[in-house]
Amino acid sequence: MAPQISPSILSADFARLAEEAKAVEGADWLHVDVMDNHFVPNLTLGVPVVESLARATDTPLDCHLMIEAPDRWAPQYVEAGAGSVTFHVEAATAPVRLAREIRAKDARASMALRPATPIEPYEDLLPELDMLLIMTVEPGFGGQAFLDIMLPKIRRTRELISKHGLELWLQVDGGVSASTIEQCADAGADVFVAGSAVYGASDPAEAVRALRKQAEAATSRASWLHDH
């Protein structure tokens, strides 16, 4: 699969979300960070804003739920118009049931892991998912520095995906920029969430194109692609 870029509106101007969505229309997804001030110490937006965004852009919405009780709330984000919904395994009560419920509503089901959460205990869950998100910062705030100690975890996750022959996307989120995206692609990621690297640029659409070009070049050289 070709690398995909998912700009994060956490770094956009919240007073101009419709315009900010249009500014990155060449992107594959629009990453929407939902935070409830319980699972993470920040409060962002919820179902009504996702409904409005879905009407304002043709770019599919990739909703990342950094919230408690995702089992209860995640299906509502599909109904609000999200094409992909990510829940945190640390917050989910029944991750397999929740993934199946999201898929049954015709959205992509994705599971996120905080930096300290290992992938190995969840190997058996991988076939139930369409995407796995490895956080490369602590969830909660944009603009954090990339944690390069996550690169081995990305590699191990890619090895598990290959071992089971899965069509599972591997997303990274946190500190992804021109200086880190190639490392992530080389380690095995193929979906890249970029916030300030896109919305902090003078031309967000050009930033998306440049990041995609870097990711494609690094992927074409990556050993994980050629070993399998």
Side-chain angles (χ1 to χ4, degrees):
M1 187 194 77
Q4 300 186 72
I5 308 296
S6 184
S8 169
I9 61 163
L10 187 62
S11 300
D13 180 350
F14 273 31
R16 301 170 51 248
L17 280 184
E19 294 162 60
E20 296 282 60
K22 283 187 170 61
V24 294
E25 279 186 338
D28 300 282
W29 295 87
L30 195 62
H31 191 82
V32 182
D33 287 305
V34 176
M35 307 184 192
D36 64 357
N37 208 26
H38 294 286
F39 182 70
V40 290
N42 196 1
L43 187 65
T44 54
L45 46 81
V47 169
V49 175
V50 170
E51 283 178 340
S52 297
L53 259 177
R55 288 194 298 267
T57 180
D58 291 331
T59 308
L61 303 183
D62 166 28
C63 283
H64 177 192
L65 307 184
M66 287 168 270
I67 62 174
E68 289 182 352
D71 303 76
R72 175 185 172 192
W73 293 107
Q76 294 187 31
Y77 284 90
V78 182
E79 290 158 16
S84 175
V85 176
T86 301
F87 59 88
H88 268 266
V89 71
E90 303 91 351
T93 306
V96 171
R97 186 175 66 202
L98 180 55
R100 289 180 178 181
E101 192 174 351
I102 292 168
R103 280 176 153 181
K105 290 181 178 290
D106 292 326
R108 295 181 64 84
S110 170
M111 189 172 82
L113 275 60
R114 297 180 92 137
T117 305
I119 179 60
E120 286 77 9
Y122 304 105
E123 180 177 352
D124 291 345
L125 272 65
L126 297 182
E128 300 288 338
L129 304 168
D130 297 296
M131 184 168 74
L132 190 89
L133 166 54
I134 302 240
M135 291 299 297
T136 42
V137 297
E138 284 296 339
F141 292 93
Q144 297 183 65
F146 178 79
L147 295 173
D148 57 6
I149 58 165
M150 291 297 104
L151 291 168
K153 182 172 164 184
I154 297 168
R155 288 185 195 282
R156 292 197 308 274
T157 304
R158 173 53 67 188
E159 286 165 8
L160 289 177
I161 293 169
S162 299
K163 172 182 159 186
H164 294 283
L166 300 172
E167 295 288 320
L168 180 65
W169 297 355
L170 180 51
Q171 185 179 64
V172 284
D173 178 9
V176 175
S177 67
S179 58
T180 59
I181 193 166
E182 291 181 29
Q183 293 170 276
C184 295
D186 181 67
D190 52 16
V191 185
F192 306 88
V193 177
S196 35
V198 170
Y199 282 111
S202 55
D203 184 343
E206 176 53 37
V208 169
R209 286 191 291 271
L211 288 169
R212 187 192 304 283
K213 199 171 172 184
Q214 278 189 280
E216 286 172 351
T219 300
S220 68
R221 301 188 298 265
S223 59
W224 61 267
L225 191 65
H226 301 294
D227 291 348
H228 302 287

